[in-house]
Amino acid sequence: MPISEWIQVAVLALIQGLSEFLPISSSAHLILPAQLLNWEDQGLAFDVGVHLGTLCAVLVYFRHDLTRMFFAWIASIRGHQSADGTLSWLVVLGTIPAVIAGFFFVSLIETWGRSILVIAATTLLFAAVMAWADMQRKEQRDIGHLKVRDAIWIGLAQAMALIPGTSRSGATITAALILGFDRATAARFSFLLSIPVTLGACVMMATRITSGQSILPLEMLFAGAVIAGISAWTCIHLFLKWIARIGMMPFVVYRVVLGVVLLFIYFNLPELA
């Protein structure tokens, strides 16, 4: 395969890994290179590969938490309740809105939601919402205060992130801040919510791969998954380490700059839009 193909795979996998868990929208950043640089779509198999990479990253990072939650969830079915068991059920509950929205609206979003104008609009709109939530935050609640209604509201915010430019982590963290949770709790619950949603997305995309599609060589798919996984693990580690101190404002500024650039491209460089 030509070196340019390897470069595209590496860049797109790195973008997926870095942007999946940052509040900047991974879907927007994966769409933009193809439109702005005229790169060929790498196909659903590549999408599955890089999403599996990010899924493995979050599973590895939270492996101890997930182990406790799994056994606590099994125990809760048998009538033995615990904080970890309750958290497991709340993750399941918070996933339901995204599953429903994906089932009914994913085709509509894929058709109408991938234009540069839509991405620019959602990037700027949710930058404003994120800024307001971060400035108005109370941080009076931690993970132990998470209730059913909180999981539902945060889950509804996650469902909105199906629109490119919104950001799944941005929407869920913002919703948690509005509900009074501290930044670290908001980020942790957001990452836990990403696990079933990412797994579901991988399964959905995998079922849509047809034998007639052009599929990248196995070594390229594997390289993309590894790059996405390593960069995602690094991103999770640094984000959780720094989020309480830096907050959401650096990402708000980034989104504003990105949104303005995209609007400039749309209105002044229509051949790229």
Side-chain angles (χ1 to χ4, degrees):
M1 299 294 289
I3 188 65
S4 60
E5 286 281 341
W6 282 100
I7 292 174
Q8 290 181 28
V9 165
V11 169
L12 291 175
L14 186 62
I15 290 174
Q16 169 67 25
L18 293 177
S19 61
E20 177 69 20
F21 298 107
L22 293 179
I24 57 176
S25 178
S26 63
S27 58
H29 285 76
L30 287 173
I31 291 169
L32 291 176
Q35 294 192 347
L36 299 183
L37 301 177
N38 199 29
W39 283 359
E40 183 180 352
D41 188 353
Q42 299 296 334
L44 281 173
F46 176 77
D47 289 345
V48 172
V50 293
H51 277 83
L52 283 175
T54 58
L55 176 62
C56 289
V58 71
L59 288 174
V60 170
Y61 193 88
F62 288 103
R63 62 191 182 279
H64 300 303
D65 302 68
L66 294 171
T67 299
R68 291 197 312 271
M69 289 170 62
F70 175 76
F71 286 109
W73 177 71
I74 295 297
S76 71
I77 296 176
R78 299 172 179 171
H80 303 287
Q81 302 302 321
S82 66
D84 284 326
T86 299
L87 180 59
S88 300
W89 283 111
L90 292 177
V91 169
V92 173
L93 181 63
T95 303
I96 294 174
V99 173
I100 295 174
F103 180 80
F104 286 105
F105 300 115
V106 68
S107 297
L108 180 65
I109 292 171
E110 287 181 347
T111 301
W112 300 102
R114 289 177 171 263
S115 74
I116 286 184
L117 182 60
V118 170
I119 295 172
T122 53
T123 296
L124 292 171
L125 173 62
F126 282 92
V129 177
M130 284 169 51
W132 177 82
D134 199 51
M135 290 187 294
Q136 299 296 319
R137 72 189 188 281
K138 303 298 183 183
E139 296 198 274
Q140 298 172 333
R141 309 169 70 193
D142 58 22
I143 199 74
H145 295 93
L146 195 67
K147 306 297 182 184
V148 169
R149 70 176 184 88
D150 301 315
I152 293 174
W153 280 114
I154 297 172
L156 289 171
Q158 180 170 246
M160 294 178 60
L162 288 171
I163 304 172
T166 302
S167 169
R168 191 208 60 80
S169 63
T172 51
I173 293 173
T174 297
L177 292 177
I178 292 173
L179 291 169
F181 290 95
D182 60 72
R183 288 167 171 166
T185 294
R188 182 187 176 200
F189 189 63
S190 171
F191 292 160
L192 291 175
L193 276 180
S194 74
I195 295 172
V197 167
T198 305
L199 177 60
C202 288
V203 172
M204 182 187 70
M205 289 187 291
T207 60
R208 294 165 57 189
I209 298 175
T210 63
S211 59
Q213 281 187 311
S214 175
I215 298 178
L216 291 175
L218 185 60
E219 61 270 20
M220 278 190 166
L221 295 177
F222 180 76
V226 170
I227 293 171
I230 294 174
S231 56
W233 188 96
T234 304
C235 182
I236 294 170
H237 177 71
L238 295 178
F239 188 76
L240 288 175
K241 183 178 180 180
W242 293 340
I243 184 60
R245 184 167 71 251
I246 68 174
M248 303 288 277
M249 295 310 295
F251 306 104
V252 170
V253 172
Y254 174 83
R255 292 176 69 106
V256 170
V257 173
L258 176 62
V260 170
V261 170
L262 292 177
L263 287 178
F264 175 82
I265 291 173
Y266 182 82
F267 288 108
N268 295 277
L269 302 171
E271 67 277 7
L272 295 180

